[in-house]
Amino acid sequence: HLILFLLFVGPFNCFASYSRATELFYSLNEGLPAGVLIGSLARDLRLPTADGQHPSALQPPLSFTLASRGLGEQYVQLDNRSGELHTSALEIDREALCVESSGATIIGGAAAAASSSSPSPESCLLLLDVLVLPQEYFRLVKVKIAIRDVNDNAPRFPVPHIHLSVPENAPVNTRLAIEHPALDPDMGTNGVQTYRLRDNYGVFTLDVEENESGERTPYLIVMGALDREVREEYVTVIIAEDGGTPPLVGSATLTIGISDINDNCPQFNDSQLNVTIYGNSTLGAHVATVHATDMDLGSNAQITYSYSQKVPQASRDLFHLDESMGVITLFSKVDGDSPRLHRLIILGNGPGCIPAVITVLVTIIKVMMRPPEVVPRFIANEVEGVVYLKELEPINTPIAFFTIKDPDEKYKVNCYLDGDGPFRLSPYKPYNNEYLLETTKPLDYETQQLYEISVVAWNSEGFHVNKIIKVQVLDDNDNSPVFSQQLIELSIEENNVPNAFLTKLHATDADSGERGEVSYFLGPDAPSYFSLDKTTGVLTVSTQLDREEKEKYRYTVKAIDSGYPPRESIATVAITVLDKNDNSPRFINKDFSFFVPENFPGFGEIGVISVTDADAGQNGWVALSVVNGSDIFVIDTGKGVLRAKVSLDREQQSSYVLWIEAVDGGDPALSSTAKITILLLDINDNPPLVLFPQSNMSYLLVLPSTLPGSPITEVYAVDKDTGMNAVIAYSIIGRRGPRPESFRIDPKTGNITLEESLMRNDYGLYRLLVKVSDHGYPEPLHSTVMVNLFVNDTVSNESYIESLLRKEPDINIEEKQPQISIEPAHKKVESASCLPTLVALSIISLGSITLVTGMGIYICLRKGKKRNRTDENLEVQIPLNGRISLHMLEKKPMEISNI
């Protein structure tokens, strides 16, 4: 009883434990992106929520977990809190996953609505098990997701070409299945629905039949009469179309071959043929040939020939008929009792056909005597009456012996050769009735390939017999290939594309067959980057050519035939590379420097700008122009000579920087620029300018207590020139006073110092005439200034001193030059023997010290000392000999600047 109780209760316990299991059904389209909502488990299961809030707001919160980890997990994402199912990043392809249409397979989802109805058996299903926790809400939810098909596949035929054979006697409405229907992985209406032909030629159409499993098979239906003899093949395109929106199509080539049937019978072109033969014709002589045609193919077109039963046996015995070829020959000898007219009725027989009929009327001409006999014996190679001779055979090559006989041995027989050609038939002595056929000159295959000659024999009764001989000339490799041009002149622009086409060589060979086949090759002198196609003769260049690197190419090419031994000919290829404007003008130097003496005359030649252009012709023409400074400088565009329009003054501007542009004559033009530096060399054209003392009328008080060696004052001067032209020397060339030798001047600095102690007798006014001289070449320039020193304890009467200054001084000019530590260039030149040395030193100074040291000194002096003095002095030019005129000193203006 206990066992029975347990058996009875057990199923109810199982039912209770699974009573909370639930199934949910969803459906969605294949191919949807990630994140598309499939369904909400909490909503569709109607699980309780906290006042309609999110399921996670319950206490404890709801939890949703996938119970199994299968293939389906890749295609969905389950929110553990909300219970919402979404598509994953892995896109679902229904055709890839659901191989069998009736199986349930994992697939990715799309937007779907919850459905209480189960999916159809053909559905592709994704099965999921979801656990709902905690314990008080525990459920095992079976989720089924049906993947709906979309039309994402076009119909496709398994083979690109479909062949179908239709007999030409196929009746109208004949149906022929096409064995390779199109396939479409999509299902239902998205699968293949219809077929059509692009061109039905008016005799075909298509029909579609569907079997129990839903497969659709196209059938070709014959809609008109077919005739293979009119057209034996139809080529069209079969198109399969599915039922999607929009529909997709696929196509294949459909070839419909029309197979032959025996629907044609043999036919003769003529109904009767008349033939005449002589009664003395030799056995096997050709009488006639009959020929019938059948439009069918293969075995249906086989024709045999036979005599009709109406042909007498005597005619059958006299004439032989070849059953396959239709050739009638003389089979037996014609005697005197043979009929003179034979009516041969010949049937042309085809399979399953009524025979075609032709009548051959053979008339036999009776001959009372037998004709001469011509018996050939060939020496040369002969096949079926055709003699084969090589074209290089020498003269008098024997061909055959001919024996001439008279069967009756009663008549004299002569023979001769009939026909054109280099042949001769002559008696072969000492034998009678023997003749030799030989050549009279070499044969040339290229002139004539076949000769047909006849050996004619006739007897004294005038009866003729001829033996036809065909001579076939065999070709030898006796001709070399011939180029259409021995010198092939070509041109190509430089910077060509690789493998550029140059030309197609052409050579002909008069020989036949392989002996006339020509191959092309480059000569050994051809550069490696030229290619010649062996078969076509196409000449190409594999690399870019540069005219500036090489302008002309010249090499040989060969044409070789395929004979044995091979023969060849040679031609010359001359290629000229045409110029393109691919090179900019190029200056010899990037920077040019020219040294020009100042005061250089206007439009004098400063220098030549050298520029080249590697291009040729107009592309290599170069025009020069000054980019900047064109108002001062000009350049000869052809010769490149640079000139200044005006004379240049170094003291105004010591250097010029120009940019010269060179433009070529190409289209488009190319250009380049160069920097030109013009440095002006100093010329001694400025005398020293005395800046202190500022006036010849100024004076300085010198106390008697001044110690010897003490500096008293200075003379300061500057020179606008540079280098040696600006090196200044100071000297006292005139003195006046109580003891004027008491003062000396430093020749370098111009400092005036007291040489000796001053005594009581030395009081008074001292006037020192100072010469300020430069060391310019070829002649130094100088200025003079008067230095006035008043030796006294005080200046008690200035008007007196000024009256003394206004008086014209009586000063003797000293001729000696100032002594400074400047090398011989600053010593007084007393003889012409020092002139070369002075010239050399001056050139060296002008070339080096002038540019560096002189300009630096000049700039420093002008910036450092010009700021402290004013332009208020008078310039005094005092001659180096004679007396000084004070009136002249007061009247000449002099430019003085403060220091």
Side-chain angles (χ1 to χ4, degrees):
H1 289 80
L2 180 59
I3 292 173
L4 291 174
F5 177 77
L6 292 175
L7 290 173
F8 178 78
V9 174
F12 289 96
N13 290 337
C14 293
F15 179 79
S17 62
Y18 286 93
S19 63
R20 302 184 71 179
T22 308
E23 284 190 355
L24 289 178
F25 298 97
Y26 298 101
S27 65
L28 69 161
N29 293 339
E30 63 175 321
L32 292 177
V36 175
L37 177 65
I38 300 173
S40 174
L41 300 185
R43 182 189 65 213
D44 297 335
L45 292 173
R46 296 184 175 85
L47 294 177
T49 59
D51 298 329
Q53 298 179 0
H54 197 274
S56 60
L58 290 176
Q59 293 299 328
L62 290 176
S63 173
F64 301 88
T65 307
L66 290 173
S68 60
R69 298 294 178 183
L71 185 61
E73 316 299 329
Q74 304 175 25
Y75 300 97
V76 298
Q77 290 181 343
L78 175 62
D79 190 309
N80 294 337
R81 291 296 186 185
S82 65
E84 291 182 348
L85 274 175
H86 294 84
T87 57
S88 68
L90 184 60
E91 185 178 288
I92 299 174
D93 185 359
R94 185 183 188 280
E95 290 75 31
L97 297 180
C98 295
V99 180
E100 298 180 0
S101 61
S102 60
T105 311
I106 312 299
I107 237 176
S115 174
S116 61
S117 61
S118 299
S120 64
E122 293 78 11
S123 297
C124 183
L125 298 179
L126 172 65
L127 303 180
L128 301 172
D129 289 344
V130 180
L131 294 178
V132 182
L133 297 173
Q135 186 65 32
E136 51 266 34
Y137 303 108
F138 172 74
R139 295 184 185 213
L140 174 61
V141 182
K142 296 286 187 176
V143 179
K144 294 182 180 180
I145 304 174
I147 308 305
R148 292 194 298 264
D149 183 45
V150 297
N151 190 28
D152 57 346
N153 292 279
R156 181 176 177 273
F157 286 90
V159 292
H161 299 278
I162 302 173
H163 297 272
L164 193 63
S165 179
V166 181
E168 62 177 326
N169 63 343
V172 176
N173 293 326
T174 299
R175 300 171 66 86
L176 299 169
I178 297 176
E179 298 181 354
H180 301 285
L183 304 176
D184 192 327
D186 296 325
M187 295 190 65
T189 57
N190 291 334
V192 178
Q193 298 297 314
T194 60
Y195 292 87
R196 68 177 184 273
L197 295 176
R198 180 172 294 173
D199 188 356
N200 58 20
Y201 297 98
V203 292
F204 300 105
T205 187
L206 289 179
D207 189 18
V208 181
E209 291 186 3
E210 185 175 354
N211 58 19
E212 296 178 355
S213 63
E215 295 179 352
R216 295 174 180 263
T217 302
Y219 281 81
L220 181 70
I221 302 176
V222 179
M223 300 298 293
L226 303 176
D227 188 352
R228 189 206 62 80
E229 287 72 35
V230 176
R231 185 164 188 168
E232 62 181 2
E233 186 179 74
Y234 297 86
V235 179
T236 184
V237 175
I238 182 172
I239 300 173
E241 183 175 312
D242 62 22
T245 303
L248 303 178
V249 297
S251 63
T253 301
L254 176 62
T255 302
I256 305 170
I258 309 303
S259 59
D260 184 52
I261 64 169
N262 191 25
D263 58 347
N264 291 279
C265 291
Q267 291 181 352
F268 287 105
N269 293 332
D270 300 311
S271 61
Q272 183 173 309
L273 186 63
N274 298 321
V275 179
T276 301
I277 65 172
Y278 289 100
N280 61 350
S281 298
T282 58
L283 298 180
H286 178 268
V287 177
T289 300
V290 295
H291 180 70
T293 57
D294 192 323
M295 298 297 293
D296 293 325
L297 292 175
S299 61
N300 294 331
Q302 289 183 353
I303 301 174
T304 60
Y305 302 93
S306 63
Y307 284 126
S308 172
Q309 293 180 357
K310 297 179 181 180
V311 178
Q313 188 62 42
S315 298
R316 293 171 183 259
D317 295 339
L318 186 59
F319 300 102
H320 175 264
L321 174 62
D322 188 303
E323 292 184 354
S324 60
M325 303 300 295
V327 178
I328 303 172
T329 57
L330 186 61
F331 185 68
S332 61
K333 201 168 187 179
V334 179
D335 54 28
D337 298 332
S338 299
R340 296 294 174 259
L341 181 63
H342 294 266
R343 188 181 183 87
L344 305 178
I345 301 174
I346 300 174
L347 306 178
N349 306 296
C353 290
I354 298 175
V357 180
I358 187 172
T359 300
V360 180
L361 294 177
V362 182
T363 301
I364 300 176
I365 299 175
K366 188 176 181 179
V367 179
M368 299 306 295
M369 64 180 69
R370 290 184 292 176
E373 293 181 1
V374 179
V375 181
R377 289 173 292 167
F378 292 99
I379 301 171
N381 184 27
E382 179 267 340
V383 178
E384 296 181 356
V386 180
V387 178
Y388 295 92
L389 290 178
K390 292 184 178 180
E391 63 175 331
L392 295 182
E393 294 288 352
I395 301 175
N396 301 325
T397 297
I399 299 173
F401 278 114
F402 290 90
T403 303
I404 310 300
K405 295 181 180 180
D406 179 18
D408 297 329
E409 298 182 355
K410 294 193 282 186
Y411 306 100
K412 181 181 179 181
V413 181
N414 294 314
C415 76
Y416 66 92
L417 188 64
D418 185 23
D420 296 329
F423 305 103
R424 176 177 60 217
L425 182 66
S426 58
Y428 190 72
K429 297 180 179 181
Y431 303 103
N432 293 325
N433 298 327
E434 296 287 344
Y435 293 86
L436 177 63
L437 179 64
E438 60 186 353
T439 61
T440 59
K441 62 180 181 180
L443 303 177
D444 188 359
Y445 174 86
E446 289 71 37
T447 303
Q448 187 170 345
Q449 294 87 37
L450 181 65
Y451 295 90
E452 188 171 306
I453 56 178
S454 295
V455 177
V456 181
W458 82 97
N459 57 19
S460 57
E461 296 297 321
F463 197 87
H464 291 73
V465 173
N466 64 337
K467 180 69 175 180
I468 298 176
I469 305 296
K470 293 183 178 180
V471 179
Q472 176 67 56
V473 182
L474 300 178
D475 188 28
D476 260 318
N477 193 30
D478 60 337
N479 290 279
S480 299
V482 177
F483 280 100
S484 56
Q485 294 176 283
Q486 287 299 311
L487 177 61
I488 304 163
E489 295 181 316
L490 308 172
S491 62
I492 183 175
E493 281 193 343
E494 62 177 329
N495 305 328
N496 54 284
V497 297
N499 300 316
F501 172 84
L502 294 175
T503 189
K504 184 176 182 179
L505 303 181
H506 180 66
T508 56
D509 194 314
D511 295 322
S512 63
E514 291 184 353
R515 292 172 291 274
E517 295 179 359
V518 179
S519 299
Y520 302 91
F521 301 92
L522 291 172
D525 54 344
S528 60
Y529 38 84
F530 288 95
S531 301
L532 180 59
D533 189 280
K534 175 182 177 181
T535 305
T536 63
V538 172
L539 181 64
T540 57
V541 57
S542 60
T543 186
Q544 282 191 347
L545 300 180
D546 187 356
R547 188 205 65 82
E548 289 72 38
E549 182 179 338
K550 189 171 183 179
E551 183 177 5
K552 293 186 180 294
Y553 296 86
R554 192 180 183 92
Y555 54 85
T556 57
V557 290
K558 296 180 180 179
I560 304 177
D561 62 23
S562 300
Y564 182 81
R567 300 174 72 96
E568 68 178 40
S569 62
I570 296 176
T572 301
V573 175
I575 301 175
T576 301
V577 182
L578 303 180
D579 185 51
K580 290 183 72 176
N581 193 27
D582 57 344
N583 290 278
S584 300
R586 183 178 178 183
F587 289 93
I588 300 301
N589 299 310
K590 292 184 179 180
D591 296 326
F592 290 85
S593 296
F594 296 107
F595 297 91
V596 181
E598 63 175 331
N599 303 329
F600 194 70
F603 292 97
E605 181 178 325
I606 295 176
V608 178
I609 311 299
S610 299
V611 61
T612 60
D613 194 314
D615 293 322
Q618 186 172 345
N619 294 333
W621 296 350
V622 179
L624 297 174
S625 61
V626 181
V627 177
N628 63 327
S630 59
D631 54 337
I632 300 177
F633 297 94
V634 293
I635 189 167
D636 188 329
T637 185
K639 298 180 179 180
V641 177
L642 182 64
R643 306 175 189 273
K645 298 179 183 178
V646 297
S647 178
L648 303 178
D649 187 356
R650 190 205 63 80
E651 285 72 36
Q652 292 183 3
Q653 187 170 339
S654 61
S655 64
Y656 296 86
V657 176
L658 305 179
W659 290 97
I660 303 297
E661 182 182 34
V663 181
D664 63 22
D667 184 17
L670 301 178
S671 64
S672 61
T673 57
K675 180 182 178 182
I676 311 297
T677 302
I678 301 173
L679 299 173
L680 297 182
L681 301 178
D682 186 47
I683 298 296
N684 191 27
D685 57 348
N686 290 281
L689 180 63
V690 178
L691 302 180
F692 186 82
Q694 298 177 0
S695 171
N696 288 332
M697 300 299 292
S698 62
Y699 66 92
L700 181 68
L701 177 66
V702 179
L703 298 176
S705 60
T706 302
L707 297 177
S710 298
I712 304 301
T713 185
E714 69 171 339
V715 176
Y716 180 75
V718 295
D719 197 314
K720 293 181 180 180
D721 296 321
T722 59
M724 297 301 296
N725 294 333
V727 176
I728 297 174
Y730 301 90
S731 61
I732 299 175
I733 61 173
R735 303 169 184 263
R736 183 179 178 83
R739 192 155 56 98
E741 64 275 5
S742 301
F743 300 95
R744 68 175 296 273
I745 189 168
D746 189 298
K748 292 182 179 181
T749 63
N751 290 331
I752 297 176
T753 57
L754 181 64
E755 285 293 301
E756 301 175 357
S757 298
L758 296 172
M759 302 301 180
R760 186 68 182 174
N761 295 333
D762 296 335
Y763 286 24
L765 179 64
Y766 291 78
R767 308 197 74 176
L768 305 177
L769 181 61
V770 177
K771 179 182 178 182
V772 182
S773 176
D774 60 25
H775 289 74
Y777 177 81
E779 183 178 351
L781 300 180
H782 68 275
S783 299
T784 57
V785 66
M786 186 70 72
V787 178
N788 300 301
L789 302 176
F790 185 66
V791 178
N792 202 3
D793 292 327
T794 61
V795 179
S796 58
N797 191 349
E798 291 184 4
S799 59
Y800 171 71
I801 298 174
E802 291 175 359
S803 64
L804 294 177
L805 293 176
R806 283 193 293 269
K807 292 181 179 180
E808 182 177 347
D810 184 12
I811 299 178
N812 292 326
I813 304 300
E814 300 176 2
E815 295 296 334
K816 66 177 181 177
Q817 294 294 327
Q819 302 297 320
I820 61 173
S821 60
I822 302 295
E823 291 305 317
H826 297 283
K827 294 181 180 179
K828 183 176 181 180
V829 179
E830 296 181 354
S831 67
S833 63
C834 297
L835 185 60
T837 303
L838 181 61
V839 172
L841 292 175
S842 299
I843 293 174
I844 294 173
S845 300
L846 292 175
S848 58
I849 300 175
T850 299
L851 295 177
V852 182
T853 309
M855 290 180 67
I857 293 174
Y858 172 71
I859 293 171
C860 292
L861 291 176
R862 294 193 63 171
K863 290 183 178 180
K865 297 183 179 180
K866 259 188 173 183
R867 299 170 185 164
N868 299 325
R869 301 195 178 178
T870 59
D871 301 334
E872 296 176 355
N873 271 357
L874 297 175
E875 179 181 358
V876 179
Q877 298 292 340
I878 299 179
L880 296 180
N881 48 17
R883 309 244 333 134
I884 297 176
S885 175
L886 291 179
H887 299 290
M888 290 176 62
L889 292 179
E890 293 177 358
K891 291 179 181 179
K892 280 194 176 182
M894 180 176 177
E895 184 178 343
I896 303 292
S897 298
N898 286 335
I899 299 178

